[in-house]
Amino acid sequence: MSEVRRRQLQSTESLNSVMVDISNIRGDEWNIALLLLLYLLQGIPLGLAAALPMILQNRGASFKQQAAFSFATWPFSLKLFWAPIVDSVYLARFGRRKTWLVPIQLAIGCFLIFLSYNLEAWLGIEGTDEPQVVLLSIIFFLLNFLVATQDIVVDGWALTLLRRENIEYASTCNSAGQIAGYFFGYVIFMALECPEFCNTYIRNEPKPEGIITMPGFFYFWGVVYLVVTALVAFIKREAQEYSSNTPTMATIVHSYRQLLQILKLPSIQLLSLVLLTSKVGFAACDSVTGLKLTEGGVPKESLALLAVPLLPLQIILPLVVSKISSRRRPLNLLLKVFPYRLVFNIIAAVFVFITPAILVGSSMPSYYVAILLVLLALQQVTVTTMFVQWMAFFAVISDPVVGGTYMTLLNTLNNLGGTWTTTTALALVDFTTVKSCSNSTLNNDCSSQLLKMECEKAGGNCEVQLDGYYIETALLTIVGFIWFKFWGQKILLSLQSRPMDAWKVRSR
């Protein structure tokens, strides 16, 4: 969700300037509407990809399988490496951005329609078939690769689609559109696809299925993608930014040379090491806790709906953090919050531990929902504070000569620090968990859905002897404190104190 959170920050930063003169949008109304629509479409697959781990958990997927599926989220953390190609190679007659946007969105639409016919079979039937996680991981990796590429295209088009005096609306459209799409693809889908939720809160007469079905939802948005793309291709004209004689290969080579020059800076190399290791202490809490709550009895749709009351907090927090932090030394607040976020790991683990004892029935007590909401809000405060401070630090140190490339590289490293730790943390849960079948005649460790079924057929139950989630949370929290106390804190203070020359790219 870091990509969506970055959009929120960008939207917050431009909010005041957007409200200065609303009359400036005259003549750009349709362009703003188009940007909103394109970013909304971008958020739909991201929301659906976020919903899949919860569905996989209900279908009996192991944490090792969850780790495999988490690779599907990596394209957004790697898009920097093919962005120069997308920016530089195009058909001038068709349009610099439409050259990529049209085929990519057509491919996304076809992907979603294809998934509507096959996804339920690949997810397996709960309690009988194992999900085909490797296949799902490949499919959603390719889907997210297309969505990340569409993001590169739309971000670039936003800079020229609007008039110069309205350019600040680009980040607002970016944030609002993607968050809305994510909301539809995750929260709305999870709620309306669940029969229990629909029967309890919406319908008068219960039915065995939700208001929407998974195939129907994917098919609908696939068709929307195709229709919108066709309209953009045939109706929207793109201003020609460059002549057909643009030296595309030279532009691509220059972009990659800039990346290499930035990466050769000693300060950047040290900061890269910090960014790639700073999230290790939070990995188990951030990636596994939600799945453990679902495993403990919290309905997946209820967990998704709790994002709704937190939305105002997500909007207000960046403003508050920006006001109270130091512009020259933005990492000071991050360093203050870091230990509290580590302490939250233990609080979350305790809450997960007591959840099965509280949720003995089919519904969640109101006090439990209130506590869960408070905990989610506290986590949001620590996560957003640290995220905003990282973004502020990146803005301070980025060399303005290569500002766009510089910022994108730092964002990529920051995202990679979260993706590799998430994948590793998920993979280690099963490795550190000890299970056994209660039927002593079987030598069964219940490590897969098939082994669980075998145990149940023999009249036994899979019992957890040692839960790897708690072991991993405790160990990574200790590692996080050691990292912070003996290395990270000192290094970050040192990096923050370095002169601007230490961050500048030397021209050659």
Side-chain angles (χ1 to χ4, degrees):
M1 179 88 176
S2 60
E3 191 67 23
V4 177
R5 192 176 293 116
R6 183 169 65 83
R7 308 303 191 190
Q8 291 175 325
L9 179 59
Q10 290 174 335
S11 179
T12 301
E13 290 174 341
S14 65
L15 188 58
N16 292 333
S17 58
V18 168
M19 297 176 66
V20 171
D21 188 3
I22 199 70
S23 64
N24 283 345
I25 69 170
R26 290 179 181 176
D28 262 344
E29 297 95 331
W30 286 107
N31 291 331
I32 290 173
L34 175 60
L35 280 180
L36 277 170
L37 180 59
L38 293 177
Y39 280 121
L40 183 144
L41 290 179
Q42 185 185 123
I44 295 293
L46 295 178
L48 293 172
L52 258 292
M54 295 294 182
I55 297 173
L56 287 170
Q57 191 76 0
N58 280 2
R59 302 293 175 99
S62 66
F63 283 98
K64 187 184 297 183
Q65 290 174 317
Q66 293 281 10
F69 184 77
S70 71
F71 278 106
T73 65
W74 280 57
F76 263 93
S77 297
L78 301 172
K79 64 181 180 178
L80 169 69
F81 299 108
W82 65 89
I85 299 174
V86 175
D87 278 336
S88 304
V89 178
Y90 59 92
L91 299 174
R93 290 184 179 181
F94 191 52
R96 183 181 185 185
R97 308 303 175 183
K98 286 171 63 177
T99 295
W100 290 91
L101 183 72
V102 171
I104 285 169
Q105 290 203 162
L106 288 176
I108 294 172
C110 292
F111 245 109
L112 293 175
I113 292 173
F114 174 70
L115 283 169
S116 72
Y117 289 103
N118 297 282
L119 186 57
E120 283 197 321
W122 293 338
L123 285 169
I125 300 172
E126 187 174 354
T128 57
D129 296 332
E130 268 198 329
Q132 299 182 43
V133 175
V134 174
L135 178 60
L136 288 170
S137 302
I138 294 171
I139 293 293
F140 274 88
F141 181 92
L142 294 174
L143 179 60
N144 281 333
F145 172 82
L146 292 172
V147 176
T149 307
Q150 190 253 23
D151 180 49
I152 297 168
V153 177
V154 179
D155 282 351
W157 199 5
L159 299 176
T160 57
L161 188 63
L162 303 178
R163 296 199 309 269
R164 181 55 53 187
E165 61 268 25
N166 291 330
I167 199 68
E168 65 267 20
Y169 285 92
S171 61
T172 303
C173 292
N174 188 320
S175 174
Q178 195 184 70
I179 292 170
Y182 187 92
F183 185 82
F184 276 108
Y186 180 57
V187 179
I188 298 299
F189 169 68
M190 293 281 275
L192 298 186
E193 191 266 343
C194 176
E196 292 79 9
F197 178 85
C198 295
N199 292 336
T200 303
Y201 298 104
I202 300 177
R203 293 187 177 124
N204 291 324
E205 296 182 4
K207 293 183 179 181
E209 69 282 337
I211 291 177
I212 61 174
T213 63
M214 188 183 301
F217 193 81
F218 275 74
Y219 187 87
F220 171 79
W221 285 108
V223 171
V224 171
Y225 256 98
L226 296 181
V227 171
V228 170
T229 305
L231 292 174
V232 171
F234 292 108
I235 296 176
K236 182 61 182 176
R237 292 186 177 181
E238 183 180 350
Q240 190 170 342
E241 299 176 47
Y242 299 97
S243 69
S244 57
N245 297 322
T246 301
T248 55
M249 186 54 64
T251 305
I252 295 171
V253 171
H254 176 69
S255 297
Y256 285 113
R257 281 180 177 172
Q258 280 189 335
L259 286 176
L260 288 175
Q261 286 177 0
I262 297 170
L263 287 170
K264 286 179 181 179
L265 296 174
S267 295
I268 287 295
Q269 292 173 359
L270 187 54
L271 177 59
S272 299
L273 185 58
V274 172
L275 292 173
L276 292 173
T277 58
S278 62
K279 296 184 177 72
V280 170
F282 318 121
C285 181
D286 290 354
S287 60
V288 185
T289 299
L291 298 174
K292 275 294 179 181
L293 287 172
T294 303
E295 188 182 85
V298 179
K300 64 183 188 301
E301 66 279 1
S302 298
L303 205 56
L305 284 169
L306 286 175
V308 178
L310 291 176
L311 192 57
L313 182 64
Q314 292 175 342
I315 296 171
I316 294 170
L317 266 177
L319 281 171
V320 175
V321 173
S322 298
K323 293 292 183 182
I324 64 175
S325 65
S326 169
R327 292 187 178 181
R328 293 185 177 181
R329 304 181 70 84
L331 293 183
N332 287 357
L333 184 57
L334 182 147
L335 293 172
K336 290 180 181 178
V337 171
F338 197 100
Y340 292 101
R341 188 174 172 190
L342 287 171
V343 171
F344 182 84
N345 293 350
I346 306 302
I347 298 172
V350 171
F351 188 76
V352 169
F353 182 79
I354 65 174
T355 289
I358 297 174
L359 303 184
V360 290
S362 58
S363 60
M364 294 188 295
S366 56
Y367 72 87
Y368 179 88
V369 175
I371 296 172
L372 179 56
L373 193 59
V374 169
L375 290 178
L376 290 174
L378 288 175
Q379 185 192 35
Q380 190 67 55
V381 169
T382 57
V383 170
T384 301
T385 299
M386 293 181 64
F387 182 81
V388 170
Q389 296 311 99
W390 275 126
M391 295 302 103
F393 182 63
F394 296 164
V396 169
I397 65 175
S398 292
D399 188 343
V401 176
V402 287
T405 304
Y406 213 116
M407 280 289 288
T408 305
L409 174 62
L410 293 176
N411 280 321
T412 297
L413 292 168
N414 195 29
N415 287 337
L416 277 173
T419 49
W420 84 262
T421 52
T422 292
T423 299
T424 305
L426 286 167
L428 289 176
V429 173
D430 280 340
F431 181 76
T432 53
T433 296
V434 179
K435 290 182 181 180
S436 63
C437 182
S438 59
N439 188 330
S440 58
T441 61
L442 295 176
N443 184 18
N444 189 332
D445 62 0
C446 298
S447 58
S448 69
Q449 184 67 13
L450 292 176
L451 288 174
K452 291 177 185 177
M453 291 165 54
E454 181 183 330
C455 177
E456 291 171 359
K457 284 181 181 179
N461 294 311
C462 288
E463 298 175 349
V464 176
Q465 307 298 323
L466 193 62
D467 196 324
Y469 165 68
Y470 303 109
I471 297 172
E472 193 175 335
T473 299
L475 288 176
L476 291 184
T477 301
I478 294 171
V479 170
F481 272 111
I482 293 173
W483 181 94
F484 177 74
K485 183 68 176 177
F486 296 102
W487 189 73
Q489 186 176 24
K490 296 175 182 177
I491 295 298
L492 285 174
L493 289 173
S494 170
L495 289 172
Q496 186 173 237
S497 301
R498 294 190 178 190
M500 287 305 302
D501 285 345
W503 305 99
K504 287 183 178 179
V505 176
R506 306 299 193 270
S507 58
R508 288 174 172 80

